[in-house]
Amino acid sequence: MNAQQMPSPTALGLRIAAMIRATGPMNLSEYMHVCLNDSVHGYYRHQQAIGRTGDFITSPEISQMFGELIGVWCTAIWQAMGSPGKFVLAEAGPGRGTLMADLLRACARFPGFLDAARIRLIETSPAMILEQKSRLAGLARECEWHAALDHVDELPLILVANEFLDVLPIRQFIKTATGWREHCIGTCADGSLEWVVGTTLLGSSQLPANAHERTEGSIFEIAPAREAWTQNLTERLVANGGAALFIDYGHAHTRFGGTFQALRNHRPVDPLAGPGLCDLTAHVDFSAIGSVAAAAGAQTSPVISQGTFLQAMGLAERAGAMGAGKSAQMRADIRLQAERLVMPDKMGELFKVLALASPEFAPALALIPPFCLRNGN
Ligand code: SAH
């Protein structure tokens, strides 16, 4: 479906237009939050979001190998932490629960790991929680759900998150003759939504040093919600010990340009048409996340590509083992799935990996990807 075919306006679109008429243009952060999380019409409240029949497909849905290798990463981290007898194994934004299911299956082979783990899923969408509960029901492991990290037990922590940071709201600023002004959403006479330039200015301390070289119309994005999440997580890691792994699409170095996008039925659509009906995301600036974590006292890994990470974790070997003794067709399918995860023209390069850890584990982590690898782009 393209922008022209999007039903217009949606119930949520009408409500947003009324809010804008009452209180003035809405910034992108507020728009993303309302569109994704509104308790009645929010995207994650009612849409069949992920998978072949949904709007987008994620790495865990492409192959079980993805979650299994993240499980191997968790066990390596746990050993590097001195194999604590009680720790929290958490996933933020678990989607359909597939990553956690594959991870738990892989980890069952590591003696002691699952007995020590308190499994916690951090999820805000009731519809997603139902899906996760049904996916994880057969695993004979007790899981708990929480709406925020704050509610999770204060224990050593291993946290993983795939395509989670990209759903946390961002703000956009546009360069004008009078400075970098907030890119906001206004409403037209017919009730449809449009981009407008707001009055809030972004100060030079929040802009890259070369911002003055950009031409008018250039966009710069900041993500206060992601940074707050990272800050909160890092404070936990530093206080209780542990590590976190983020995988998402984005860039290793801060850059200019708008990356806010909407997906519906696996296709990009106009993000202002059909509020609540499409997935809204933006690329993750991993250098901003890493800086927040480092300033709060975490050890940060280099930012590397998903392809490099999965290969270092043994994707080729796992694919070989999975294919052994299978039909030629099944081996070909496994190879295609592995290629989709690691090839630079598929998900291998756009998707990046960043790990954070409490500083006391630094020496033991030095052999574990991505800590042992070199920075990507
Ligand atoms: N990790 C999954 C799903 C990614 S989609 C995968 O790889 O398939 C994003 C997920 O984050 C959804 O489950 C969504 O409901 C959840 N989510 C969105 N905002 C959230 C928030 N603020 N806190 C926790 N989960 C959130």
Side-chain angles (χ1 to χ4, degrees), residues 44 50 58 60 93-95 122-125 128 162-164 167-168:
Y44 280 114
I50 308 166
T58 56
I122 303 168
E123 174 62 70
T124 44
S125 155
M128 286 291 183
N162 182 60
E163 289 208 40
F164 166 67
V167 302
L168 299 183

Side-chain angles (χ1 to χ4, degrees), residues 134-274:
S134 90
R135 184 74 180 78
L136 296 168
L139 291 172
R141 293 278 160 192
E142 232 174 79
C143 303
E144 267 181 26
W145 275 260
H146 297 283
L149 184 60
D150 291 343
H151 309 148
V152 168
D153 340 30
E154 296 269 355
L155 284 173
L157 172 67
I158 300 178
L159 178 135
V160 299
N162 182 60
E163 289 208 40
F164 166 67
L165 292 174
D166 68 70
V167 302
L168 299 183
I170 61 151
R171 292 170 68 183
Q172 272 191 349
F173 290 82
I174 182 162
K175 188 164 184 183
T176 70
T178 53
W180 290 83
R181 295 196 173 270
E182 185 143 27
H183 211 195
C184 292
I185 290 127
T187 180
C188 308
D190 66 358
S192 60
L193 303 176
E194 61 172 355
W195 288 105
V196 296
V197 176
T199 51
T200 305
L201 282 164
L202 190 65
S204 55
S205 64
Q206 283 188 276
L207 283 158
N210 60 347
H212 62 278
E213 294 165 8
R214 306 300 300 185
T215 52
E216 276 181 32
S218 294
I219 299 273
F220 185 65
E221 294 176 345
I222 61 171
R226 285 181 198 150
E227 294 182 9
W229 215 94
T230 306
Q231 172 83 26
N232 192 14
L233 166 69
T234 307
E235 283 166 9
R236 284 221 157 207
L237 292 177
V238 170
N240 302 325
L245 183 74
F246 288 110
I247 305 179
D248 226 306
Y249 44 92
H251 30 274
H253 304 289
T254 300
R255 52 168 76 154
F256 293 93
T259 69
F260 175 53
Q261 64 173 19
L263 278 185
R264 188 166 159 88
N265 296 334
H266 302 268
R267 296 214 196 100
V269 293
D270 177 355
L272 303 191

Side-chain angles (χ1 to χ4, degrees), residues 306-307 310-311 315 337-344 347-349:
Q306 170 167 303
L310 292 178
Q311 274 161 341
L315 182 74
Q337 291 163 5
E339 283 174 5
R340 196 162 167 199
L341 294 176
V342 299
M343 293 304 276
M347 299 172 89
E349 191 58 45

Side-chain angles (χ1 to χ4, degrees), residues 48-68 70 91 93-102 128 131-132 135 162-163 266 306 333 337-338 340-341 347:
Q48 160 77 47
I50 308 166
R52 280 180 185 79
T53 55
D55 294 314
F56 59 98
I57 191 145
T58 56
S59 295
E61 305 298 330
I62 289 172
S63 168
Q64 67 183 71
M65 294 183 281
F66 184 82
E68 290 170 352
I70 291 181
E91 183 182 359
R96 303 174 76 184
T98 307
L99 191 161
M100 184 55 91
D102 293 336
M128 286 291 183
E131 207 163 331
Q132 292 152 19
R135 184 74 180 78
N162 182 60
E163 289 208 40
H266 302 268
Q306 170 167 303
D333 287 348
Q337 291 163 5
R340 196 162 167 199
L341 294 176
M347 299 172 89

